[in-house]
Amino acid sequence: MASQEIEALSSALARLPGLGPRSARRAVLWLVKNREQALPALLEALDAVSETLVECQICGNVDTSDPCGICADPRRDPKSLCVVEDVADVWALDRARLFQGRYHVLGGKLSALDGIGPDDLNIASLMERAANGEVEEVVLAMNATLEGQTTAHYLAERLDEHKLRITQLAHGLPVGGELDYLDEGTLAQALRARRPVG
Ligand SMILES: [Zn+2]
């Protein structure tokens, strides 16, 4: 019979994406067995995350500073703005320095099914940034899912009033593909072969 503490940790872990109750229990068991080696590092890392990470008020990225390292980097091309669904996509694209511009994180995708409309995403701030006179190209780097593509079409329409080059990732992306899961080669190819929307 698991103690209350173990039960609490299991159910906390079971809420993480990709971890169901069963794998959460296995993780807890592993942590208990390896507590002397594994726990201090994990606690320290969790503590650092909760103490130091903040959301960038400009782009929505998560970093140790606000504005984030990307927004604050003067070597980044201010003319190019890449719009993604989630922070994980910024990290995926930026891991290999594939994109030299700046990012904008929507914080999700339009979904009639889940009741997520334009006001639930960081779209108003995107429109402001796109209209700041500095941005010349907006790359819509949504996932190749139905909802991702619906979101991209919606944004392309909204952005149309500004004199911008609007592109989206080439569909070397597998159908249903999520950026975060792609290898860097596929991602680089999709970005290089990006094409005008519409
Ligand atoms: Zn930022």
Side-chain angles (χ1 to χ4, degrees), residues 56 58-61 67-68 71:
C56 174
I58 298 173
C59 74
N61 188 18
C68 71
C71 285

Side-chain angles (χ1 to χ4, degrees), residues 151-167:
T151 308
H153 282 288
Y154 173 84
L155 292 177
E157 268 185 38
R158 289 276 309 265
L159 288 163
D160 195 40
E161 61 179 291
H162 308 296
K163 296 255 178 294
L164 300 169
R165 198 161 97 88
I166 302 169
T167 54

Side-chain angles (χ1 to χ4, degrees), residues 137-140 149 153 165-172 190-198:
E137 179 187 12
V138 175
V139 185
L140 300 172
Q149 293 310 300
H153 282 288
R165 198 161 97 88
I166 302 169
T167 54
Q168 68 183 96
L169 297 185
H171 285 276
L191 192 64
R192 232 178 282 125
R194 66 184 181 267
R195 54 188 171 72
V197 173

Side-chain angles (χ1 to χ4, degrees), residues 28-94:
V28 170
L29 211 61
W30 184 87
L31 284 171
V32 170
K33 277 189 195 151
N34 297 279
R35 60 183 173 277
E36 275 168 32
Q37 301 83 27
L39 273 186
L42 184 63
L43 284 173
E44 200 179 314
L46 285 174
D47 202 41
V49 163
S50 99
E51 291 283 308
T52 58
L53 288 194
V54 286
E55 191 177 304
C56 174
Q57 294 303 303
I58 298 173
C59 74
N61 188 18
V62 172
D63 201 353
T64 50
S65 59
D66 174 24
C68 71
I70 295 174
C71 285
D73 186 349
R75 289 164 301 180
R76 291 281 178 159
D77 182 4
K79 295 196 285 291
S80 217
L81 193 60
C82 181
V83 184
V84 295
E85 292 175 23
D86 287 307
V87 172
D89 302 330
V90 174
W91 297 350
L93 283 161
D94 226 56

